[in-house]
Amino acid sequence: MNLVESLGAHRLLAIVRGKDPAAALSTVRTLVEEGISAVEVSLTTADALTVITRARAELGPDALLGAGTVRSAADAARAVDAGASFLVTPALVEGLEPYGVPVLMGALTPTEIEAALARGADAIKLFPGSLGGPGYLRALRDPFPDVPFVPVGGVDAQAARDYLDRGALAVGVGSPLVGDAADGGDLEQLRVRAAEFLKTAAGGRP
């Protein structure tokens, strides 16, 4: 199953960023153990490339493990070399096609969405999603009915359900899901939050 198919099936992308590489790795491991199939490690995470490399070694070649906050082709090269199987950008980024992995490219306006698609984006990271909210996504569905959108930014469990109800392919969730786990926080509470978001993604109300 490819990235877009997986996001469409599971409807949730976990975003890990933190100050403690060991805790970030444990967070990735815990999220996967709890059933979250797609995990992004932000390149702003301390020693992010090592986290990706070690997570890839643990999870195997088929795991949907990506790199986020990719801002250049050089970032993409390092991330793919470390083991990232998809890339997530915060904005429009040139030159990612040669790396041969799916790209969720950041865009907000209709013009940016068209530009991202022209750059080969497999899906649009609607960012920051909190700026327009679920209503803005609903407005975008009319001119872009076939574009897969993944809203990111300020997505709590209730917002996740609202986005999914309004046509999002999936939602990308960072701190409302991960909390302080990637900084060394409580992994048991992370498991609780993961279960809540998985229920929401599957159609249950938070």
Side-chain angles (χ1 to χ4, degrees):
M1 184 178 293
N2 68 28
L3 177 66
V4 172
E5 289 173 344
S6 179
L7 290 176
H10 300 284
R11 315 202 76 186
L12 183 61
L13 169 65
I15 302 167
V16 175
R17 61 172 60 86
K19 301 174 183 176
D20 182 332
L25 179 61
S26 295
T27 298
V28 173
R29 184 187 304 120
T30 300
L31 291 167
V32 173
E33 287 173 354
E34 292 304 304
I36 294 176
S37 64
V39 180
E40 162 197 339
V41 176
S42 170
L43 294 183
T44 60
T45 296
D47 205 7
L49 297 176
T50 298
V51 173
I52 293 170
T53 298
R54 293 182 63 189
R56 174 60 66 200
E58 288 191 21
L59 301 176
D62 297 328
L64 290 173
L65 175 67
T69 324
V70 173
R71 297 176 58 194
S72 67
D75 283 346
R78 289 188 288 266
V80 171
D81 187 59
S85 59
F86 64 92
L87 305 172
V88 185
T89 77
L92 301 175
V93 178
E94 299 277 3
L96 302 187
E97 296 92 335
Y99 299 99
V101 297
V103 176
L104 274 67
M105 192 167 291
L108 181 63
T109 68
T111 299
E112 291 172 350
I113 291 165
E114 290 286 13
L117 295 172
R119 286 166 170 79
D122 294 88
I124 298 299
K125 171 184 170 179
L126 191 63
F127 179 77
S130 57
L131 195 60
Y136 181 60
L137 172 64
R138 179 65 187 86
L140 289 172
R141 298 305 304 165
D142 289 335
F144 299 105
D146 299 323
V147 172
F149 286 103
V150 181
V152 176
V155 181
D156 59 15
Q158 181 61 61
R161 186 68 256 157
D162 292 341
Y163 279 121
L164 294 171
D165 286 346
R166 286 163 175 78
L169 173 74
V171 290
V173 186
S175 57
L177 167 58
V178 172
D180 63 354
D183 295 325
D186 189 340
L187 292 179
E188 290 308 310
Q189 287 302 310
L190 174 62
R191 294 182 191 277
V192 171
R193 293 190 297 272
E196 176 187 21
F197 273 95
L198 285 167
K199 178 181 176 183
T200 298
R205 284 284 173 182

